[in-house]
Amino acid sequence: RTLPILEDDEEEKINEAMEQEEANNKENDGKNPKKKSKKKSTYAQLTGQAVSLQLAEEQLTDILSANRRRITIDEIQRTVCQFYRVDRTEMSSKRRARAVVRPRQVAMYLAKVLTPRSYPEIGRKFGGRDHSTVIHAVRLIEDLRTRDADMDGDVRSLLRQLES
């Protein structure tokens, strides 16, 4: 991809805006809301876009995502077990009864959606299961959510519980 060639005055404006932003960064420790506003308006000036809610959300996603707490697989398993009234040891057991398998699959799905963990890592947390078992669980729950309103409701409820 090639970059557009800038006129001298455009390049000068960008350099000035970048210098101003660097000066703002040195003055602020990252906790000042005025800095966020300056970041937004500086970006808007550079790109020629109007300052809008959408622009603000796009530019602040890195700041907002840093404030979210990390959800662990153990926390997901605990929450799913409480929700479905299943013993915690069943998440790693070899049992294949539907009453145990479905909550385990939901927990695997949530682990993939809510954590940055790989399929093999998730499998290890569920009794040393193979990565393909986790892939199957994720695909199955995705499919069930589209076809079964109860399953979709359960997953939504669990997501709300875990993210609160």
Side-chain angles (χ1 to χ4, degrees):
R1 188 171 136 185
T2 59
L3 296 173
I5 298 184
L6 300 174
E7 298 294 324
D8 288 337
D9 61 328
E10 290 176 309
E11 189 173 341
E12 191 175 313
K13 285 180 186 175
I14 290 173
N15 288 337
E16 286 175 13
M18 289 174 70
E19 287 171 10
Q20 180 64 41
E21 184 64 20
E22 284 179 20
N24 290 341
N25 287 342
K26 289 177 184 173
E27 290 173 13
N28 296 302
D29 63 357
K31 294 179 180 142
N32 188 340
K34 289 181 182 178
K35 179 183 176 192
K36 295 175 188 175
S37 177
K38 286 181 182 179
K39 177 181 178 183
K40 183 173 55 178
S41 62
T42 303
Y43 184 83
Q45 288 169 354
L46 284 172
T47 61
Q49 294 178 340
V51 177
S52 66
L53 179 61
Q54 182 181 357
L55 176 65
E57 287 173 348
E58 288 172 4
Q59 294 308 307
L60 297 175
T61 52
D62 56 333
I63 295 168
L64 297 175
S65 65
N67 291 336
R68 274 192 223 126
R69 68 183 184 85
R70 296 207 187 270
I71 298 170
T72 65
I73 294 176
D74 289 332
E75 186 179 354
I76 291 168
Q77 289 178 340
R78 210 173 17 260
T79 305
V80 169
C81 286
Q82 288 172 348
F83 186 84
Y84 287 106
R85 294 182 182 90
V86 175
D87 190 58
R88 176 80 167 68
T89 59
E90 298 291 7
M91 287 290 130
S92 3
S93 77
K94 299 289 181 194
R95 286 194 55 210
R96 291 174 20 174
R98 182 176 293 207
V100 173
V101 170
R102 193 67 77 210
R104 187 185 301 136
Q105 289 170 330
V106 169
M108 287 180 186
Y109 169 80
L110 291 170
K112 189 61 190 159
V113 170
L114 296 174
T115 70
R117 304 288 172 234
S118 67
Y119 291 116
E121 287 176 293
I122 294 169
R124 283 192 291 275
K125 286 288 206 171
F126 286 86
R129 287 185 162 69
D130 192 70
H131 75 280
S132 62
T133 304
V134 181
I135 292 170
H136 172 73
V138 170
R139 288 180 180 162
L140 181 73
I141 299 303
E142 284 173 345
D143 182 53
L144 281 174
R145 286 187 72 186
T146 60
R147 293 186 293 119
D148 183 357
D150 289 338
M151 176 57 73
D152 187 49
D154 288 355
V155 172
R156 285 176 184 269
S157 177
L158 286 162
L159 282 166
R160 270 192 305 276
Q161 233 178 306
L162 288 162
E163 290 177 335
S164 63

